[in-house]
Structure formats: structure tokens, C-alpha cells
Amino acid sequence: IYPEWYLTWIDSVKISPDGSYIVYRTNRDSALMNETSVWGIDLKTGEERQLIPSSYNNDIVGFITDSHIVVGALGDTRMMDIKENMIISVDIPKLPNFSISEVRDGRILFSSYEDGNSNSTTWINSIDVLTGKVTEIMSITGYLDGEPRFSPSGNKVAIGYGSDPMVGVVDVLIVDLSTKSQMLLTDSLKNTSAVKGNIIRFHWVNDDTVMVD
């Protein structure tokens, strides 16, 4: 009867690294389609409150510290200091087809590609949570896909890798930020034939172990 009405939903639930706070995105208080707000729950007190009012680009990337969340993976990127209730602009360069993939422990990872080009560039950066200034640590260019992930310590990054876009992601590029070195997962294996077909996803078990699907 009312086609403009829609159900209230919640997604992008994230828990802070110290386990003291949960944030989530919802349209529970949005008057316009495609707008969402960001809410949080203090797990020590049980207090629930709105952190960021209803707007576009309120998708939650994740916690970059115990008390800072990054919001806006595709645009209007900013940080929210939950404890101080303060928004901090992030100094992201203007890039084509920009997307933030991951944040952890004061570091932010984003990628970009030119229209019509199968290769993309992934930038790994540190970020000053007080000023929002982004400083490049290193960048990687190639046929990169999937969802890049920081290791638990934040000192390594796993990125889906391939050499032929028609074949897809067939390997994982492991980047060590402490040495700025790169290594393909198959090059580190004694039984490289164990990695077959397209890689759908991967997950760090610890800083020395990656689980690949």
C-alpha cells in the first residue's frame, strides 16, 4: 500500500579492539531512502546513543583505535572519536573509483583504479587520529581483488592477487610493513599445487598463518 515505506535494519556491526564498545549502522531514524545513521553501545554501562546523524556515506569501515571509528568507505570519509564525541576529517586524496577496504591500529588501506583498466593500486597508510592526516607507508599496483586484510598485529597485509583478469584471483600477496617486502603465498609453500582455482576469501589466524578459501 505504501511503496515508499521500508523495514528498519541494522548492519556493519563492529566491536572495538578492547571490547568496550559496539557500533552499528541503521535506518531506524532515517526519513530518506539510502540514508543511515551510526549508533553505539557502551558495553560497560549499557548506554546506547546516536553517534552520527542520518546521512549518505555512513557505512562503517571499522575501528582504527579503541575509540576511533572510520566511516565512509566510498566518500565523505571521516573519523569519529566516540569518547570525545568529535568528528575528525580524513585527508584522503581524490582518486578515481576510490574505496577503503580496511583499518587497524592507526593504519588505513584504500584502493583506486582507472575506468577500463583491470589493474588497481592499493595504498597502505598511517593516519594521525588527532588531525586526520594520512601518510603513505607503501603502495602496490597490479591485478588486485578481494578484500585486503591486516593481520592481527597490523604489521602485515594480505591482498588477493592474479596475473590474468580472465582467470581471476589465484594467489594471495603477503605484504610485510616492517620490512616493506612482498611475497606471494604460493612462493612460500612447499606444496604450491594445494592452491587451486579462484580464491574467494582469506582470513588471518595469527600473524604467521592465513586461512584461504
Side-chain angles (χ1 to χ4, degrees):
I1 299 175
Y2 302 101
E4 72 279 9
W5 288 18
Y6 55 98
L7 295 174
T8 296
W9 51 263
I10 289 172
D11 74 359
S12 300
V13 178
K14 308 287 185 180
I15 187 167
S16 63
D18 64 0
S20 65
Y21 223 90
I22 283 178
V23 297
Y24 62 88
R25 183 171 69 119
T26 178
N27 68 349
R28 62 190 283 184
D29 51 359
S30 302
L32 298 176
M33 188 72 75
N34 297 325
E35 286 195 355
T36 58
S37 59
V38 178
W39 285 66
I41 302 174
D42 187 325
L43 296 178
K44 294 180 180 178
T45 65
E47 177 192 10
E48 182 181 27
R49 63 186 174 93
Q50 186 193 77
L51 301 176
I52 301 176
S54 183
S55 177
Y56 293 104
N57 293 318
N58 268 348
D59 51 308
I60 302 169
V61 180
F63 279 89
I64 197 164
T65 72
D66 287 337
S67 59
H68 292 78
I69 59 170
V70 175
V71 175
L74 303 179
D76 191 20
T77 304
R78 59 241 192 250
M79 284 187 296
M80 170 77 183
D81 186 331
I82 297 173
K83 293 182 179 178
E84 299 297 329
N85 197 33
M86 181 171 61
I87 298 290
I88 303 147
S89 297
V90 178
D91 185 23
I92 297 288
K94 292 185 178 180
L95 298 165
N97 302 301
F98 166 84
S99 175
I100 301 175
S101 304
E102 174 85 309
V103 295
R104 183 184 294 270
D105 195 27
R107 291 170 175 162
I108 184 169
L109 189 153
F110 54 79
S111 61
S112 169
Y113 66 90
E114 298 283 350
D115 289 334
N117 192 337
S118 59
N119 283 353
S120 63
T121 299
T122 294
W123 284 269
I124 306 166
N125 316 265
S126 62
I127 183 169
D128 187 322
V129 296
L130 297 178
T131 65
K133 181 180 179 181
V134 172
T135 303
E136 181 179 326
I137 300 174
M138 61 184 299
S139 63
I140 303 103
T141 299
Y143 181 67
L144 311 173
D145 205 349
E147 299 180 349
R149 289 289 177 259
F150 283 110
S151 66
S153 71
N155 291 325
K156 294 180 181 179
V157 179
I159 306 172
Y161 175 85
S163 57
D164 185 349
M166 299 302 293
V167 176
V169 174
V170 295
D171 212 332
V172 181
L173 183 66
I174 306 295
V175 181
D176 189 322
L177 300 181
S178 60
T179 61
K180 295 188 177 180
S181 60
Q182 305 175 31
M183 178 183 65
L184 289 174
L185 181 63
T186 53
D187 289 342
S188 69
L189 300 176
K190 294 181 179 179
N191 55 335
T192 56
S193 61
V195 181
K196 297 179 180 179
N198 286 348
I199 293 175
I200 301 171
R201 64 183 65 86
F202 39 86
H203 176 76
W204 288 96
V205 178
N206 54 50
D207 263 39
D208 297 315
T209 308
V210 176
M211 183 168 62
V212 177
D213 181 3

